[in-house]
């Protein structure tokens, strides 16, 4: 738009446009013929659709209009198939990527740029298969392994790039809950499909081992818990008391007021009920705090 050489309250330019859905701000740039560049002029609300340039705003000659699109672009499948169900940051030294999943599909962002899902041979997607159930429920790291859990299995992937990211092994330990796994040092404590287990890397080899640690509480977990609700299990590390706490819904009302705590120093279990929960968010559909 060409306008008057001197902008005033009586001589001005008014721009109008269709707002971009979801934008937090709209940036206005004014062209400078002398420098042959667009310079930042003002920012308005993301829902705005008009701006009047009357000379009050001063262009910033050091801020130019972007020449490339740096917006967060997601795979088209997320629009057609639905948004991801979960996300986890993969770390391999300096190799950091974001892994997100939905069903048995996982998308892995470009190296050290979780906004880039399109770089050829850098960002990539994988399909989980080979287990009893393949829909992803949780993801974590163990040394140089990427652990991808389903309800029934743990898929161990090695590598961190498009060319070397490969399936190394499938174990029979699943994790129905994204929140049902926590790590202490080199050991993962997992609420699996058969109760609590540990998963650990064998330091002098290229394998992992899983050990059931729930024998002493089998009468509690198998006798009183609803298996279908184990996807709601929560695990956390009580560092002060050196124990891993597992919360899972009880039978009947399905409210998670039962806590099983495993002291990893003495390898002993304690059961708690009726714990008070702070900052409660109650889900009336799934009946869980």
């Amino acid at each position: 738009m060409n306008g008057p050489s001197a902008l005033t309250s009586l001589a001005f330019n008014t721009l109008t446009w269709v707002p971009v859905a979801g934008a937090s701000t709209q940036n206005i740039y004014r062209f400078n013929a002398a420098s042959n560049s667009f310079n930042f002029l003002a920012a308005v609300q993301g829902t705005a659709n008009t701006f009047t340039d009357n000379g009050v705003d001063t262009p910033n000659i050091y801020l130019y209009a972007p020449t490339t699109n740096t917006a967060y672009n997601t795979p088209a499948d997320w629009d057609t198939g639905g948004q991801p169900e979960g996300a986890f940051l993969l770390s391999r030294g300096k190799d950091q990527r974001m892994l997100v999943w939905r069903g048995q599909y996982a998308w892995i962002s470009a190296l050290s740029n979780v906004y880039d899902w399109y770089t050829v041979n850098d960002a990539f997607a994988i399909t989980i298969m080979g287990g009893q159930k393949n829909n992803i429920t949780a993801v974590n790291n163990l040394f140089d392994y990427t652990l991808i859990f389903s309800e029934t299995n743990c898929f161990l992937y090695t590598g961190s790039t498009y060319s070397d990211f490969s399936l190394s092994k499938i174990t029979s330990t699943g994790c129905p809950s994204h929140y049902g796994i926590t790590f202490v040092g080199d050991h993962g404590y997992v609420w699996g499909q058969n109760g609590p287990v540990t998963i650990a890397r064998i330091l002098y080899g290229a394998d992992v081992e899983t050990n059931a640690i729930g024998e002493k509480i089998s009468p509690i977990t198998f006798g009183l818990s609803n298996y279908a609700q184990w996807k709601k299990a929560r695990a956390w590390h009580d560092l002060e008391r050196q124990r891993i706490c597992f919360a899972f819904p009880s039978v009947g009302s399905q409210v998670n007021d039962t806590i099983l705590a495993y002291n990893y120093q003495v390898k002993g279990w304690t059961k708690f009920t009726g714990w008070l929960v702070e900052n409660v968010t109650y889900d009336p559909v799934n009946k869980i705090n």
Side-chain angles (χ1 to χ4, degrees):
M1 177 183 294
N2 294 318
S5 58
L7 296 170
T8 68
S9 60
L10 298 177
F12 52 82
N13 289 323
T14 296
L15 307 176
T16 60
W17 63 89
V18 177
V20 177
S24 58
T25 60
Q26 307 277 355
N27 293 341
I28 313 298
Y29 296 83
R30 182 199 289 168
F31 183 70
N32 185 330
S35 62
N36 192 33
S37 63
F38 283 91
N39 303 123
F40 179 80
L41 183 65
V44 297
Q45 291 290 334
T47 55
N49 63 359
T50 184
F51 175 79
T52 296
D53 184 8
N54 56 14
V56 174
D57 297 290
T58 302
N60 187 330
I61 62 174
Y62 300 105
L63 292 179
Y64 303 100
T67 57
T68 59
N69 184 3
T70 58
Y72 174 68
N73 293 311
T74 59
D77 181 83
W78 297 4
D79 295 323
T80 59
Q83 295 298 304
E85 298 170 350
F88 189 81
L89 181 65
L90 303 179
S91 298
R92 294 289 181 273
K94 294 182 179 180
D95 297 340
Q96 295 182 340
R97 301 174 184 268
M98 181 69 75
L99 185 151
V100 301
W101 68 86
R102 187 191 68 244
Q104 67 181 103
Y105 305 106
W107 294 266
I108 302 175
S109 70
L111 180 63
S112 301
N113 185 358
V114 298
Y115 296 106
D116 182 358
W117 300 88
Y118 288 105
T119 302
V120 178
N121 291 338
D122 194 9
F124 56 97
I126 61 174
T127 302
I128 303 300
M129 58 182 62
Q132 294 167 280
K133 293 185 179 181
N134 297 307
N135 284 351
I136 301 171
T137 54
V139 178
N140 220 304
N141 295 316
L142 180 61
F143 290 93
D144 57 339
Y145 280 126
T146 297
L147 307 180
I148 300 180
F149 290 90
S150 71
E151 291 186 13
T152 58
N153 298 92
C154 177
F155 304 82
L156 285 74
Y157 281 84
T158 56
S160 60
T161 66
Y162 174 82
S163 60
D164 65 3
F165 196 81
S166 60
L167 180 62
S168 175
K169 183 180 181 181
I170 302 176
T171 67
S172 58
T173 297
C175 182
S177 169
H178 177 46
Y179 304 100
I181 178 173
T182 186
F183 273 83
V184 179
D186 300 331
H187 285 73
Y189 293 84
V190 180
W191 191 274
Q193 75 272 31
N194 297 315
V197 299
T198 61
I199 183 168
R201 179 71 187 270
I202 300 175
L203 297 180
Y204 298 101
D207 208 347
V208 300
E209 61 180 1
T210 59
N211 293 301
I213 57 173
E215 293 89 346
K216 295 181 180 179
I217 61 168
S218 293
I220 299 176
T221 58
F222 293 104
L224 300 179
S225 182
N226 184 338
Y227 294 111
Q229 302 299 317
W230 282 12
K231 62 184 179 182
K232 302 176 183 178
R234 299 292 188 268
W236 68 92
H237 182 200
D238 183 354
L239 178 61
E240 181 180 356
R241 297 173 179 82
Q242 298 182 319
R243 61 189 182 186
I244 303 298
C245 296
F246 294 100
F248 64 95
S250 54
V251 173
S253 65
Q254 300 299 339
V255 176
N256 58 329
D257 61 353
T258 300
I259 308 295
L260 295 172
Y262 177 72
N263 187 299
Y264 48 82
Q265 295 293 342
V266 299
K267 296 180 172 53
W269 286 94
T270 306
K271 177 186 177 183
F272 301 93
T273 58
W275 273 21
L276 296 178
V277 181
E278 297 182 2
N279 300 322
V280 165
T281 300
Y282 183 69
D283 183 344
V285 176
N286 296 314
K287 295 182 179 180
I288 186 171
N289 294 331

